[in-house]
């Protein structure tokens, strides 16, 4: 006998067991009911209004998902910004950079008027020379108070002064440079457009006012002299000015005093003082300031005691304690004075020598 839900003659052969099994694949969940376009009125609504049994529901509003909406808004903002920037700041080619001037240099050897004074103690020589109150090393190259200019900020002026000081320190005080062992330390500080001139100066030195290594840096002939004291005395000044709207200029004027002795000699060897006055002119455009590089445009050098008869183009060949020059020169020149340079070969004034 069949169950309450079975047909009178029972479940047909081959049919699924149970009538409800035919509809198990159809699921009327809540979302399906809500999505239906036709909705049946309630019995009370049909009695009151004689309305049809069903009514048509308004279509569901399927808006964009939140992620899609955000993406559309971002694209719109980016597109609008691109249009605004194109109108507000149209692309312009950068202004052509001014050509970098080649370095102009003058190296003036100063010949002693007699024998070069010497002493076993370099401190004694310093104490009895015009360098007695000079500072030691980079302390003798203080940065001045920096003030902004019409077209350059305080920080840019400081950057120019700092780059000039770094060049002076590396080219005048570094033992490896002074000893003629390394020029790369100075080379990397120069504007890239001056590197060819720099390299040619060291590969083929010529006393032509353009290609003298001693115009770029201070270095001694190591077959003749070496430092007797690495505490080099320094005094001088730095000054920055605005050349034009795109260029800063720095002028440096410093006197360096080195205690030297014969190469390979012991500590008891007599030392002597060697004086170098360097006046350097630097230029900095905005690219140089950004890269911390310098354009060295002018180099005036006075150095002695030297013999005017010897070539000081590639290395400085100092006269040491007790030595005399082979040839003299014009009237005495004092590298401690602040006057201009007057000769291509001068005499070292007696007042510039230690009193021993």
């Amino acid at each position: 006998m069949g169950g309450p839900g079975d047909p009178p003659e029972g479940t047909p052969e081959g049919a699924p067991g149970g009538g409800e099994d035919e509809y198990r694949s159809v699921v009327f969940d809540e979302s399906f009911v809500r999505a239906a376009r036709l909705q049946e009125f309630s019995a009370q609504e049909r009695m009151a209004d004689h309305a049809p049994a069903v009514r048509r529901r308004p279509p569901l509003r399927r808006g964009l998902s939140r992620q899609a909406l955000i993406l559309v808004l971002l694209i719109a903002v980016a597109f609008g910004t691109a249009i605004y920037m194109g109108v507000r700041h149209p692309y312009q080619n950068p202004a052509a950079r001014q050509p970098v001037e080649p370095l102009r240099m003058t190296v003036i050897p100063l010949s002693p008027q007699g024998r070069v004074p010497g002493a076993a103690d370099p401190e004694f020589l310093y104490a009895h020379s015009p360098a007695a109150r000079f500072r030691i090393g980079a302390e003798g190259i203080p940065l001045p108070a920096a003030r902004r200019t019409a077209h350059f900020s305080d920080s840019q002026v400081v950057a120019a002064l700092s780059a000039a000081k770094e060049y002076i320190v590396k080219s005048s005080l570094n033992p490896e440079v002074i000893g003629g062992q390394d020029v790369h330390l100075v080379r990397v500080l120069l504007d890239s457009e001056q590197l060819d001139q720099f390299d040619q100066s060291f590969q083929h030195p010529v006393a032509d006012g353009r290609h003298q290594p001693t115009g770029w840096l201070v270095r001694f002939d190591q077959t003749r002299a070496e430092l007797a004291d690495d505490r080099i005395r320094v005094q001088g000044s730095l000054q920055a000015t605005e050349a034009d709207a795109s260029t800063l200029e720095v002028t440096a004027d410093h006197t360096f005093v080195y205690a030297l002795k014969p190469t390979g000699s012991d500590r008891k060897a007599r030392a002597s003082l060697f004086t170098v006055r360097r006046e350097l002119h630097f230029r900095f455009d905005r690219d140089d300031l950004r890269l911390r590089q310098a354009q060295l445009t002018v180099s005036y050098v006075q150095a002695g005691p030297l013999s005017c008869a010897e070539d000081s183009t590639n290395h400085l060949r100092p006269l040491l304690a007790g030595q005399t020059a082979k040839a003299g020169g014009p009237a005495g020149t004092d590298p401690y004075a602040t006057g201009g340079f007057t000769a291509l070969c001068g005499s070292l004034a007696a007042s510039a020598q230690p009193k021993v």
Side-chain angles (χ1 to χ4, degrees):
M1 183 175 179
D6 295 335
E9 43 291 318
T11 302
E13 185 177 355
E20 67 275 9
D21 290 342
E22 296 185 48
Y23 306 99
R24 285 181 180 176
S25 61
V26 181
V27 179
F28 298 99
D29 57 9
E30 185 177 356
S31 62
F32 178 84
V33 174
R34 290 182 178 179
R37 299 295 302 275
L38 297 178
Q39 183 182 30
E40 183 180 2
F41 284 97
S42 66
Q44 185 176 358
E45 287 175 329
R46 292 196 301 270
M47 292 175 61
D49 298 331
H50 303 284
V54 295
R55 61 182 172 187
R56 184 176 295 275
R57 299 181 64 181
L60 292 176
R61 295 182 179 178
R62 295 184 177 273
L64 294 173
S65 66
R66 180 178 299 179
Q67 293 84 351
L69 181 60
I70 292 175
L71 180 60
V72 171
L73 289 175
L74 288 176
I75 294 174
V77 170
F79 186 72
T81 302
I83 295 176
Y84 172 80
M85 293 299 291
V87 174
R88 179 87 175 180
H89 304 284
Y91 179 81
Q92 298 178 354
N93 292 325
R97 187 188 187 201
Q98 296 182 0
V100 176
E101 298 179 6
L103 171 61
R104 295 176 289 113
M105 60 185 71
T106 303
V107 179
I108 304 173
L110 302 178
S111 177
Q113 299 181 16
R115 292 186 179 276
V116 177
D121 184 8
E123 289 291 343
F124 177 84
L125 293 174
Y126 282 128
H128 292 80
S129 76
R133 296 185 179 180
F134 284 16
R135 295 182 179 181
I136 297 174
E139 293 182 359
I141 313 174
L143 295 180
R147 296 182 179 178
R148 64 179 302 139
T149 65
H151 299 93
F152 292 89
S153 65
D154 293 339
S155 61
Q156 289 175 315
V157 175
V158 170
L161 290 167
S162 299
K165 176 178 178 176
E166 185 177 9
Y167 184 93
I168 296 167
V169 170
K170 292 289 181 63
S171 64
S172 307
L173 300 175
N174 189 286
E176 295 183 7
V177 174
I178 294 172
Q181 301 169 1
D182 192 352
V183 300
H184 180 73
L185 295 173
V186 177
R187 186 181 188 275
V188 297
L189 302 178
L190 290 169
D191 187 288
S192 59
E193 294 188 26
Q194 287 192 311
L195 296 183
D196 287 343
Q197 183 187 6
F198 183 89
D199 293 339
Q200 187 175 354
S201 298
F202 288 87
Q203 294 168 3
H204 306 287
V206 181
D208 60 356
R210 291 288 190 273
H211 301 95
Q212 295 173 253
T214 48
W216 295 98
L217 48 83
V218 176
R219 67 175 185 174
F220 299 110
D221 183 352
Q222 286 298 289
T223 65
R224 177 173 295 188
E226 63 184 12
L227 289 174
D229 183 356
D230 58 4
R231 294 173 296 175
I232 302 165
R233 293 343 192 236
V234 186
Q235 180 170 283
S237 63
L238 285 169
Q239 183 179 5
T241 57
E242 180 177 309
D244 52 51
S246 61
T247 310
L248 281 174
E249 290 185 348
V250 175
T251 301
D253 190 353
H254 294 85
T255 300
F256 305 84
V257 185
Y258 306 83
L260 302 177
K261 65 178 182 177
T263 299
S265 59
D266 57 25
R267 295 181 180 179
K268 296 181 180 180
R270 296 179 69 201
S272 60
L273 298 186
F274 188 89
T275 305
V276 177
R277 179 187 166 196
R278 303 180 79 197
E279 182 178 329
L280 305 178
H281 294 194
F282 300 91
R283 289 174 65 89
F284 299 89
D285 58 24
R286 299 185 189 278
D287 286 342
D288 292 321
L289 295 176
R290 178 174 54 86
L291 299 172
R292 292 188 60 83
Q293 296 177 342
Q295 303 175 33
L296 182 59
T297 60
V298 177
S299 173
Y300 292 115
V301 179
Q302 292 176 332
L306 290 169
S307 175
C308 293
E310 294 194 76
D311 185 11
S312 299
T313 300
N314 196 14
H315 294 86
L316 298 174
R317 296 179 169 88
L319 295 173
L320 303 176
Q323 294 180 339
T324 58
K326 296 179 180 180
T333 301
D334 186 352
Y336 292 93
T338 58
F341 301 103
T342 58
L344 294 179
C345 183
S347 270
L348 185 64
S351 60
Q353 297 276 40
K355 305 300 181 183
V356 297

